[in-house]
Every structure is written in C-alpha cells, then in structure tokens.
Amino acid sequence: MTTYIGTATLRVDGRDKVTGAARYAGEYDAPDLAHGSVVTSTIAKGRIRRIDTNEAMKVDGVLVILTHENRPPMADSDKAYEDDVAPEGSPYRPLYDGEIKFNGQPVALVLAEDFETATYAASLVKVDYDEQPHVTDLERQLGNAVALDPPAKPRGDAAKAFATSDIKHQADYSVPIEHHNPMELFASTAVWHDGKLTVYDKTQGVQNVQRYLCGVFETKPDEIRVMSPFMGGGFGSGLRPQYQVVLAVLGARALKRSVRLVLTRQQMYMIGYRPAMIQRIQLGAKPDGTLNAITHDATTMTSQYEDFHRNETTWSGLLYKSEAASYAHSLVRLDLPTACDMRAPSAATGVYALEAAMDELAVALKMDPLELRLKCYSDSDQSTGLPFSSKNLRECYSQGAEAFGWNKRSFEPRSMRDGNDLIGWGMATGIWEALQVPITVRITLTGNGHAEVACATSDIGTGTYTIMAQVAADMLGLPIDNITVKLGDSTLPPSPVEGGSWIAASVSNGIVTTSNAIRDELLKMAQAMPNSALKGALADDVMLTNGSIMSKKNPRSTVMVADAMRHAGIERVTQEKATKFKKGGKHAHNTHSAIFAEVKVDEQLGVIRVTRLVGAVAAGRILNLKTAHSQVMGGMIWGMGMALHEETLVDHRFGRIMNANIAEYHVPVNADVHNIEVIFVDEQDDIVNPMGIKGLGEIGIVGVPAAIANAVYHATGKRVRDLPITLDKLTRDA
Amino acid sequence: MNNFQYSRATDVADALSQIAADASAKFIAGGTNLIDLMKYDVEQPSRLIDISHLPLAKVEETTAGGLRIGALVPNSDLAWHPLVTERYPLLSSAILAGASAQLRNMASTGGNLLQRTRCFYFYDVATPCNKRDPRSGCSAKDGINRINAILGTSDACIATHPSDMCVALAALDAKVHVAGPNGERAIAMVDFHRLPGDTPQRDTNLDPKEIITAIELPAQGFNTHYTYLKIRDRLSYAFALVSVAAALKMDNGTIRDARLALGGVAHKPWRNPEAEAALNGQPPTHDAFARAADIVLHEAKGFGHNTFKIGLARRVITRALTQAANGTPQSQSDKKIA
C-alpha cells in the first residue's frame, strides 16, 4: 500500500512555486484595491501626544490615515484579542490607544490608491510623544526577573549531589535575541465583498486568525474568511496573528473597499523574536562519567504585557540518566514586543546550553564526548520515568559517528591542524517532542478515481501539500496526480495552527482515519452488489488499490470502486472525520538526533569555517525523503547561523533594534555552507500513532549550535559561551 | 521613499546642466545603494538623473601604459576584464570580495566610489546621526559600534567607507577623473574620500555639481605580489570588519615599492605613507610586516565594541603582506585563508 509514502516524491506544488502560479498573501489583487503603509513609533515607551497628518493628507491619492483617534471600532476586552496560542497576559492591540509599549509599534496606517503614495505619505506623518523611561537590556534587568513554575518536578537533592561530585562543571551560556526572517514579508490582503471579507494572510493558522479577527472586530464567523494557501516561510513567526492583518481589516472596514498591507523587512523585526536568555548549567559526575546531578536555570525575556516563555530546562531533565536534577526558570519583562516561538523553541537554546556543558564535562572527565553521552544514555524519560515509544538515538550516534569518522578524533584541543587552520571536531545530541493535535480531514472520492483531500492546516513551505497527497494516494489506491489537496482556508475542516512539528503526524493519521471511513462506505456498497466478490469481508480485511476495493486475504477478490458507486447510484462519496490522539499514555514520545561538526579556524584571524556537518536523525517514519532531507538540512544550516552569525542588536538607549535588515542581521550564505550530510535512522514506532510518524520540523536545528561550539573549542582551546561565536570573541585575548 | 522626478541625461554636458539646475537632484546609475537609502528615507532626492546611458562604459589603455575605466563600467565587467585580471589582479580580487554577483552586475565603477557608510545609525532616521543630519549628534560613539572606524575618526563621526574596490584603487594610486561646470579635473584616489572632521555629511571631495567620468590606473599594476584579504562576519556578502590590499614590487628578495591600504577601519580607504616607506628596502620578513602594522595602527582608537579591530587589523596586515610577498593571493572563491 505504500507506493508514495517513504519515497522522494517531488513536491506537488513545486511547479506552481517556481513559475509564480502559487500566490502569496501580498500578491492577491481585487477590484479597487487600496494600499497601506504603516507608520511606527520611534520611542520605546510613553504616550502619543499628537499625530500630525496634515502634510501626509495633502499627497494626491491618499484616502485616509487611521490612528487610534479615528479608527473604526474594535473590541475592548483582552479576551477578544487572545488568539489560540496567546501566552498569559494582555495581548497587544494595534492602533487601539495612544500608549507606546515598544519601539517600532504601529501608530498610524496610511491608505492610498497605490503603494508608492501610501509609502511616501507615511514618511510625512509626524508624531509627538510624551516619553517615559524604558528598559530593554536583559542583563541589566536580571534583578527584576520573576520566577516561573519549574517545568518538571525536581528529583533527588541536586544541590547536594552536585556539591559532593568528584567532577563538577558549572557555567553560564547566553543566546541573543534572534529573528525568524522568513523570505516572504508579512502581508495581508483584505478583499471586501459588501461587508464580508476574505482575508489572504501570511499565517501558520487560518482558523486561528479567523477566530481572532472575529473577536477583535466583533463580527459573526461567516463574515470573515481567512486564506493562506501558500506561505514563504513561517518558523513560528506566523503562529500568532500579526498586527498587519488587523490593520488590513481595519482599513477595509474604514474604506469599505479592499486593502493590501505588506510590512517592510525593518517592520518585521518589531514583531515576534526568539527571546534572549542566560542559562546556568551545573553538571556533577563520578570519574567514570556517571551523572550525579543536573541543574538548569534559565532566565528569558518577554514584553511588559504578555508572559511568553517555553521550558528551556525540560530537555536537561529528560535526556540523560542522572539521579538528581533540578530546574529554575525566571522571566524578565522588557519594553519590547512579546517574544514568540522560533524553530525548536526552548530546545534550540536549552539543548545548546546542556550540550555545550556536557562537552565541558567530557573535557573535565578526560573522556570522549560521545562516550559520555553513551554512558548517560537513558531508555526512559528521566523526568517522568516513562519509557520512550521508540528511541533510536544509539543508532544515530553510531551511524553519525561512522559517516563522520569520529573515531579518528584526537582528544586534546588544538591537536589537529591544516596549515594556518586549527581543526576541531565536536558533537552534540538533539531532541524534540513527537507531538500530535486533534484534526479533521474531509475526503471526497469520485467514481472516476479522483479525490479531494481538505483540511484547514497550513503548508508553511515544508511540503504539507505533498505528504498529504502521498498519504491520500496510498490510502485511496490512486495515482498521486489524481489527488487534489486543499488547505489554508478557514472554511475547511478544523485544524490547529501548524507548528511544533505536529502537522505531518496529525494530518497523515487524519487522512488515514477519513480514508478508512471512505473504504468502509465503499465496502458496504460493494457488498450490496449482487454476487459481490467481497461478500462477508470485514472492513479491516480490505484495502483500496488501483481503483478497486480488494481483499487483502485474497487479492483476486476485488470490486471496482466505479462499479460500486454506479450500483449505489452515486457519483462520489464524502467523509469528514475528526482524529484525536490519546494524551497521558504510558510512553514518552520524542525525536532524537546526533550532530557531528568539523570546523577549521584560522589561528591568527579567528575566521571560522564549518567544513562538515553530519546529522543523523531518528524521527519515526519518514514520509518523503526529499522534503524531509531539505527540512533537516535547512534546520542544520540555521543551527550554523545560531552558532556563528545570528544576533539582533538593540541599542538600549533608544530601546530600538539597529540591525533590522538582512544585510546586517547575518544568516549563513552559500559560502558558509560546505558539506552537509543528513542520515535518517530507521525507527519503527507502533505506539506513537498508527502511521508511526514523529515529525521533523524542529529536530534539524537542535544540537547543531552546540556541536559547532564544541568543535570550535576543540579546534582552538577557547570556550565561547555567548552566541554567536564571532571572530572577535574568539580572538579577544589574543 | 519620497516622490521624485526622473529624467535621463543624453550626454555628460546634459547631465551637468541638469544637476546644476536642481541642488537636491541625484545621479543614478546602478542604484544599488541609492535606492536602499531612498527606501529608508535617508536620501530624498527631488529628481533622479539617469546617467546609465552615457557613453562611459569602456575600458581603454592609456598612452602612459595604464588603463582608463569608464565610470559606468559595471563592477562585474571590470572584475573580469582581461586587462584587469592580467595586469591589475588586486583590483579584480577586491571587487569580487564585495557584495554579491547580482549587485556587482548592477553596480557601476563611479557609483562604487560614492557608496555611503553602513553605520546603523546613518540608516535609521529615528536616531541622531551627524552624517545624515548635521549637528544632531553621533549615536555610534557610545552605541553599537562594532562595525565602525578605528582610524581618522572625529568627535562628530566614526563611520567607515564600505567599499572594497576603493581600497584596491587607493593602493594602486588610481586617479578619479571628474567633469564639472568649470571643466574637467583629476583627483588622486587617496584624496577623493574625506575624513569626517566636523563635516561628516561630506563623504568625498567631489563637488555636488560634478560627475565622475573615469578612473585611471597607472602602468604599475603589481600583478605578481599582491593580495586582497577581507575579514568579515560570514564568508561572503558582508562588509569588511577589516580588509587589506597589499601590493609589493620585489627585487631580489627586497621590497622596492610597498602599497598597503585598509578598508573597514576609516572614513576612507586608509593608506599610511610612513608604513609603506618602512617596508621599502626591507626583506619581506614577519618583523618588517609587524613594524609596518604598528605604524599604521599607532594612532588607532577603539570605541568599545570595535576595539578588537585594532588587534585584528594588525594580524590581517601581516598576513596580507605575507600572502603578497609569497605570491599567494587570497582566493575570493575558496574561503580558506592562504
């Protein structure tokens, strides 16, 4: 039954994407379309005293300039602004009042007949403020951190176990603010049809945005439809509705016509980000590498109005065998926008700290870093004690090490050299959760062998269209070209936001559920036929294949689907089924990886090149080798960026981000990317879900920053614990 | 971005009369920097005078044995021109170290000289900046100044000039030919860009009513002992933290003519005649290179985040001179540093 599942099937939307036929939120046209441009605040905290729009209004073609003073009505309760994934607090309300909560906050929306006019007029809007003192510096505000509940119960007496350990390591690891920088700009096109709106939005959750807009504008559900058939990268930045969608709808309601609003790259730095954080790790061990104690204390940051946080410390608690463990997490509130999820939120950062610390412990133990991981290997989640439904990390270590040639590593730092270059080899473990969410899938199968699969999920560029078509083709026994996938439309059957690596598992199993309902219905029709070849067959004993219903026991017992439908007097069958996943089972569900990195560092100049990266991943069933490879490789490259390049720079005097563009916010470019090898380790999991799928969205990045940081140490003998590892940090004592 | 008029110049005289008629007009050729600056409202020209059709796109040999490079020769064409790769490989290498292939295809030779600084504060109209808004203050001195200058700074400005090409042109003693209302003149490359002093708003000594017509290279091309070594925060598509153009004329193991120019450290490509003089007559030893570096950096001053550039520049100078002396120039495609 698996013609497509597990193969390197080409993207079904690939042609549309490379030819431009795939349209994105800012590319939809509408009759009489007006264009918006946002004016943003230049102070971090205070109140708007006066907005002078006179000059701007004089520009030919300007339609209206909306501010908190003249905007159409919006809801006035926090509840109305809470989207499905809002953290605790009082959500930001765009153009609601004159209060400034962060630098770069929208203060006016200029609407004009064309984009150029709107942009020019926006530059003429003058805003006066009553400024108040602001705080944006995490390090200086540590004294004002508030404690959060620790993520898991501590075990044993970690402080005592650490204090009495023969070998101890303690250090602080810090990560700066980072931004997602998806290629596609945040954009919304609100198309006006006599009071009702179709909103094309860049989002990872159309139904989340739809519910949110209905709350903010106090409208009936059928008055707003949200569409996002394609997305040029999300990485978590599109999980929550962003302010441009509110402003586009506000503009459409003010003008009673269609409005398009595209944020600038600079404005995209004033929405969500990965929070900066400082993490203290303590590891205590016996001389043989047995861990006695792990403690992990994290301090992260958020806005003044919402307490966004993720559990950085979870991973230290569950990954390695250690009798005692304790965690603490505190949060600093700053005058910046609320932080948000960014690829592998909490794991990219938390596992970086843990795995850099494990490397330092290995050095203290004079032990090979891989051997230390094997010594502490755990077959159960150490926090809960639950066994993993599958965990083939051992094989990741083994296949990754083999591909990399790890056994040729010399232990001492600065012991491998190539001319001016010091060579370093480092490794780290990666881990993420195999999550699943309730989801509903509708399938319509026609007598002529075509099927439409529909679900309000998103394809944020990862290949969801393709895997949905693959699974449906195999389940319905049809060629993939006969499958049409519909997603990214709030009127389709329900799906939560696309994030957390949960959609592949959820929607694939959802397709299985609904396909089985289609099969059951077809079997009944087939059995109603005179002299049916499937008389008496049970549903689980038949499958759909080659346009027929076939007995698995006796493949010659078949009934053509077309014949069954014709006999029943119908042309199509439609089934819509919800799939739920059990929570609180007897197993822990996680994906794992082993990352191996080679760096070459110019000894005098500190220039770092990552010459080899090997990632061996155990993530259950891999649905599509091609899209899976791309996704993991992309994550690994991002991990390189996190290790060496990425850093959002805030000038705390202004509370303002100064490198808000992709020339000065550095991500890896082609020249930085050398050999990257992705290995998928076999991992059968019959427990996690019927399809054995565990998800791949996050795992690619996890572990990579630590593997590279550890390789840099091995090359140079210098430990840089504040990312990114730039050459000035590496040569700062030189 | 503001609304502006657009017109096309038919010849150099027309370009000059158009710019003379409108003090807030700007010439546009490749537009690779100007358009960005307009989008950030840093530049708000009333008119763009398109000079891209002027007949200034030729590379010609001069009677003095050098080259005359038209102001509109695209950076890519110049980098790969056979006369340049053969006789002035330092220039070719410096161009290829900068920007991306797409930008180099668009950018013109003259425009490359007129790039403006990448100082974060210059780009953000919400912050004070003396270069953008004279007498508003310099935010970089006590701000995020990791990319800023360590040499030739003033109280008013610590910005750097971002070009790679200009660093090589300075080392090669190029001349800038310009035309203006009073006729033509030539400006030595080393005098073309200014130090910030108390007028950081003026990047160059080009009069606003003048136009660059050509760059002239002298006969001496240093095509044996040269290198352009650029150190930056990723391996491509980033501005120099420190770059060094080094060129040596060697004679029997002795340096006879040394050229040393630095990028990423000052408001202009930085040359120090004393340091070059100290190399002349010396064998190419590490000690000689280190002495030259010490002379160059003698008066260097850091501002916190960028203080590391002083030590880095010292090491880049000695490495670049070593590469030049050994005849092993830095490759701009293989990112391993020779």
Side-chain angles (χ1 to χ4, degrees):
Chain A
M1 80 174 230
T2 55
T3 306
Y4 299 103
I5 294 171
T7 66
T9 301
L10 296 179
R11 283 175 188 266
V12 297
D13 52 348
R15 186 185 164 85
D16 283 352
K17 283 191 168 173
V18 298
T19 57
R23 278 199 288 173
Y24 294 81
E27 298 181 326
Y28 283 87
D29 213 344
D32 209 22
L33 183 67
H35 297 258
S37 179
V38 182
V39 181
T40 56
S41 73
T42 54
I43 67 159
K45 190 176 180 187
R47 287 198 69 82
I48 298 170
R49 192 191 312 142
R50 184 167 165 270
I51 299 187
D52 178 357
T53 59
N54 288 328
E55 282 303 305
M57 281 304 295
K58 283 182 198 159
V59 178
D60 211 21
V62 173
L63 299 164
V64 68
I65 300 174
L66 298 178
T67 70
H68 66 284
E69 291 167 338
N70 68 346
R71 59 161 175 80
M74 293 161 75
D76 66 357
S77 73
D78 280 344
K79 191 82 199 140
Y81 294 82
E82 270 171 23
D83 67 277
D84 293 355
V85 287
E88 211 170 292
S90 172
Y92 171 65
R93 307 175 184 184
L95 290 196
Y96 186 79
D97 58 24
E99 199 185 333
I100 301 299
K101 295 169 190 281
F102 55 90
N103 207 323
Q105 168 182 327
V107 294
L109 172 67
V110 179
L111 291 162
E113 295 289 356
D114 58 70
F115 172 74
E116 291 77 8
T117 302
T119 305
Y120 172 47
S123 75
L124 301 176
V125 173
K126 293 183 193 71
V127 188
D128 292 329
Y129 303 96
D130 288 320
E131 206 172 339
Q132 292 161 13
H134 61 262
V135 289
T136 54
D137 190 344
L138 172 66
E139 275 184 53
R140 289 195 173 197
Q141 294 300 315
L142 290 175
N144 295 325
V146 293
L148 298 169
D149 294 336
K153 272 202 298 197
R155 55 183 188 270
D157 185 341
K160 191 176 161 199
F162 176 73
T164 57
S165 286
D166 294 322
I167 309 290
K168 294 197 258 288
H169 167 70
Q170 173 184 317
D172 289 357
Y173 301 87
S174 65
V175 177
I177 295 176
E178 295 165 355
H179 275 82
H180 311 72
N181 277 309
M183 201 187 304
E184 180 197 8
L185 299 172
F186 269 87
S188 304
T189 305
V191 179
W192 180 265
H193 333 263
D194 297 330
K196 292 194 177 185
L197 284 168
T198 301
V199 182
Y200 297 92
D201 187 38
K202 175 187 173 77
T203 176
Q204 293 171 241
V206 282
Q207 291 177 329
N208 183 29
V209 173
Q210 195 267 347
R211 279 189 285 273
Y212 170 81
L213 290 174
C214 288
V216 170
F217 293 100
E218 298 177 314
T219 60
K220 295 192 195 106
D222 68 344
E223 289 175 26
I224 295 182
R225 176 183 187 183
V226 177
M227 310 269 289
S228 182
F230 293 100
M231 193 181 190
F235 315 117
S237 64
L239 286 170
R240 301 188 65 189
Q242 297 296 357
Y243 72 73
Q244 92 288 339
V245 74
V246 176
L247 298 192
V249 171
L250 204 59
R253 288 166 73 90
L255 294 175
K256 301 199 186 314
R257 62 189 267 197
S258 302
V259 167
R260 177 193 294 164
L261 177 60
V262 184
L263 296 190
T264 64
R265 180 65 62 180
Q266 190 177 17
Q267 286 166 348
M268 280 171 54
Y269 281 79
M270 314 303 177
I271 56 176
Y273 53 88
R274 193 195 294 282
M277 63 187 69
I278 299 164
Q279 300 176 80
R280 171 161 299 176
I281 304 271
Q282 292 181 323
L283 300 173
K286 296 189 174 72
D288 70 353
T290 304
L291 278 172
N292 299 323
I294 301 176
T295 77
H296 188 157
D297 299 354
T299 304
T300 63
M301 58 175 283
T302 186
S303 65
Q304 298 283 7
Y305 50 92
E306 283 174 320
D307 282 352
F308 173 88
H309 58 88
R310 293 285 179 253
N311 291 325
E312 260 67 28
T313 58
T314 308
W315 312 103
S316 297
L318 77 85
L319 185 55
Y320 294 122
K321 224 181 320 180
S322 170
E323 277 190 22
S326 74
Y327 332 92
H329 194 151
S330 56
L331 191 60
V332 173
R333 298 181 182 125
L334 300 172
D335 296 302
L336 287 166
T338 306
C340 76
D341 288 314
M342 182 161 135
R343 203 165 196 176
S346 82
T349 46
V351 174
Y352 154 66
L354 173 66
E355 287 297 283
M358 284 292 279
D359 197 68
E360 299 202 55
L361 181 66
V363 170
L365 288 162
K366 299 192 174 13
M367 194 170 176
D368 179 87
L370 176 54
E371 198 187 324
L372 175 62
R373 266 75 170 190
L374 289 168
K375 181 81 190 170
C376 305
Y377 198 90
S378 173
D379 287 310
S380 61
D381 175 334
Q382 287 283 301
S383 299
T384 61
L386 295 175
F388 293 104
S389 57
S390 59
K391 177 175 174 177
N392 218 353
L393 176 58
R394 219 180 271 283
E395 197 58 26
C396 294
Y397 288 141
S398 151
Q399 291 188 25
E402 171 76 26
F404 187 84
W406 183 258
N407 64 0
K408 296 189 194 75
R409 180 178 187 266
S410 78
F411 177 79
E412 291 297 325
R414 301 178 62 85
S415 60
M416 293 159 66
R417 184 181 273 281
D418 169 16
N420 293 320
D421 281 342
L422 297 165
I423 300 174
W425 288 3
M427 60 83 57
T429 310
I431 180 168
W432 184 250
E433 296 165 276
L435 298 163
Q436 300 162 117
V437 289
I439 202 161
T440 303
V441 172
R442 183 178 67 220
I443 296 177
T444 297
L445 176 69
T446 59
N448 65 2
H450 286 257
E452 180 189 276
V453 184
C455 174
T457 186
S458 306
D459 185 338
I460 65 173
T462 50
T464 308
Y465 276 110
T466 307
I467 59 154
M468 285 175 69
Q470 287 176 266
V471 175
D474 278 350
M475 291 306 299
L476 300 170
L478 296 174
I480 197 163
D481 291 344
N482 289 15
I483 307 289
T484 304
V485 176
K486 291 228 163 131
L487 52 73
D489 177 346
S490 62
T491 63
L492 297 175
S495 167
V497 295
E498 195 281 358
S501 306
W502 58 55
I503 281 299
S506 306
V507 81
S508 298
N509 283 288
I511 291 170
V512 171
T513 304
T514 307
S515 297
N516 285 341
I518 294 266
R519 175 202 64 191
D520 296 354
E521 190 178 347
L522 291 173
L523 177 62
K524 275 187 204 149
M525 291 178 200
Q527 289 176 335
M529 293 165 73
N531 304 319
S532 172
L534 294 169
K535 196 172 178 81
L538 298 174
D540 284 343
D541 293 334
V542 301
M543 61 187 285
L544 302 179
T545 183
N546 290 325
S548 67
I549 314 151
M550 182 186 86
S551 164
K552 289 189 225 170
K553 290 177 178 165
N554 181 4
R556 279 189 289 183
S557 296
T558 63
V559 173
M560 296 303 289
V561 170
D563 291 343
M565 283 199 202
R566 199 177 305 119
H567 182 261
I570 57 171
E571 287 173 351
R572 63 190 63 223
V573 292
T574 297
Q575 288 285 344
E576 180 173 324
K577 293 285 172 198
T579 302
K580 289 205 173 85
F581 298 90
K582 273 181 288 183
K583 276 193 178 160
K586 295 193 177 100
H587 293 87
H589 308 299
N590 290 84
T591 54
H592 293 88
S593 68
I595 309 291
F596 297 84
E598 175 183 86
V599 301
K600 294 189 176 176
V601 184
D602 187 281
E603 188 175 10
Q604 286 95 39
L605 304 176
V607 173
I608 302 170
R609 294 177 300 134
V610 181
T611 44
R612 287 194 295 142
L613 266 182
V614 173
V617 176
R621 184 201 287 263
I622 303 305
L623 288 166
N624 184 320
L625 288 172
K626 190 181 170 85
T627 56
H629 181 272
S630 293
Q631 197 169 19
V632 170
M633 185 169 63
M636 290 171 71
I637 293 169
W638 198 339
M640 182 194 301
M642 189 169 163
L644 304 180
H645 305 128
E646 295 196 41
E647 181 173 22
T648 300
L649 298 166
V650 179
D651 185 323
H652 299 299
R653 296 170 303 172
F654 305 114
R656 195 166 166 87
I657 293 169
M658 296 313 303
N659 61 336
N661 59 71
I662 45 178
E664 299 296 347
Y665 179 100
H666 293 144
V667 300
V669 295
N670 285 342
D672 294 294
V673 181
H674 295 244
N675 296 315
I676 296 193
E677 187 175 351
V678 179
I679 299 165
F680 289 110
V681 169
D682 280 340
E683 190 177 67
Q684 193 180 334
D685 191 327
D686 300 324
I687 300 166
V688 64
N689 55 54
M691 295 279 285
I693 300 165
K694 295 168 86 175
L696 278 176
E698 329 292 321
I699 189 68
I701 187 174
V702 186
V704 178
I708 291 173
N710 296 342
V712 169
Y713 167 78
H714 184 239
T716 64
K718 282 188 184 152
R719 190 70 72 168
V720 176
R721 301 189 185 93
D722 51 331
L723 299 184
I725 306 172
T726 49
L727 60 88
D728 48 322
K729 292 176 186 172
L730 210 50
T731 55
R732 62 187 150 198
D733 303 315
Chain B
M1 186 187 274
N2 61 307
N3 284 336
F4 57 87
Q5 301 293 314
Y6 169 87
S7 55
R8 185 179 279 186
T10 52
D11 54 28
V12 171
D14 181 39
L16 289 174
S17 76
Q18 286 198 41
I19 199 99
D22 186 348
S24 50
K26 288 253 172 211
F27 292 130
I28 185 161
T32 54
N33 189 207
L34 180 57
I35 299 295
D36 278 358
L37 291 166
M38 289 171 69
K39 287 182 175 175
Y40 280 80
D41 290 320
V42 174
E43 298 276 12
Q44 297 192 308
S46 56
R47 172 181 294 270
L48 290 184
I49 304 164
D50 183 354
I51 55 167
S52 62
H53 295 263
L54 302 188
L56 301 172
K58 277 193 203 139
V59 177
E60 297 162 304
E61 293 185 80
T62 64
T63 49
L67 278 190
R68 186 182 166 98
I69 302 155
L72 291 172
V73 174
N75 287 180
S76 301
D77 291 11
L78 184 56
W80 296 111
H81 195 286
L83 287 173
V84 175
T85 54
E86 189 190 314
R87 287 162 50 181
Y88 305 93
L90 173 61
L91 176 59
S92 178
S93 182
I95 293 170
L96 295 175
S100 64
Q102 294 92 330
L103 285 166
R104 294 193 295 265
N105 287 343
M106 287 299 292
S108 67
T109 300
N112 192 313
L113 267 59
L114 299 177
Q115 285 182 78
R116 307 214 65 190
T117 185
R118 310 304 293 208
C119 178
F120 297 156
Y121 301 94
F122 177 70
Y123 261 79
D124 188 344
V125 295
T127 61
C129 167
N130 287 322
K131 181 181 279 297
R132 174 169 34 76
D133 184 9
R135 286 175 296 283
S136 63
C138 172
S139 302
K141 272 189 306 179
D142 300 314
I144 299 171
N145 55 40
R146 190 167 176 278
I147 64 172
N148 290 75
I150 52 170
L151 286 164
T153 55
S154 71
D155 281 346
C157 183
I158 62 168
T160 62
H161 191 259
S163 171
D164 291 299
M165 185 184 87
C166 291
V167 181
L169 290 177
L172 291 169
D173 270 345
K175 272 189 221 157
V176 185
H177 288 273
V178 308
N182 303 319
E184 298 184 1
R185 64 177 180 133
I187 309 169
M189 187 64 200
V190 290
D191 299 326
F192 185 80
H193 295 96
R194 297 161 57 93
L195 288 181
D198 54 7
T199 54
Q201 67 272 25
R202 288 196 63 192
D203 293 352
T204 71
N205 286 314
L206 186 73
D207 187 273
K209 292 190 172 61
E210 289 180 316
I211 187 169
I212 300 172
T213 52
I215 305 292
E216 185 183 338
L217 293 173
Q220 171 60 271
F222 297 93
N223 65 354
T224 311
H225 294 286
Y226 72 92
T227 196
Y228 187 72
L229 180 56
K230 177 179 181 180
I231 304 301
R232 47 188 149 178
D233 275 327
R234 58 183 168 194
L235 299 178
S236 183
Y237 196 55
F239 292 94
L241 292 167
V242 172
S243 70
V244 172
L248 302 172
K249 189 160 184 285
M250 306 281 295
D251 178 17
N252 276 335
T254 302
I255 298 168
R256 293 295 172 204
D257 185 359
R259 304 288 176 84
L260 190 59
L262 274 70
V265 295
H267 201 258
K268 60 186 288 185
W270 191 263
R271 270 185 75 179
N272 184 319
E274 249 184 277
E276 293 174 4
L279 287 165
N280 292 337
Q282 300 291 317
T285 61
H286 186 270
D287 283 354
F289 299 158
R291 274 198 304 278
D294 285 342
I295 295 168
V296 171
L297 297 163
H298 174 58
E299 291 184 345
K301 178 186 167 195
F303 293 84
H305 298 135
N306 73 343
T307 306
F308 76 95
K309 282 191 178 185
I310 301 171
L312 179 64
R314 181 171 281 114
R315 295 190 296 276
V316 183
I317 290 171
T318 52
R319 181 71 75 83
L321 286 166
T322 306
Q323 289 182 341
N326 292 345
T328 53
Q330 178 61 39
S331 158
Q332 302 303 348
S333 49
D334 180 354
K335 303 299 175 177
K336 180 178 164 60
I337 299 171

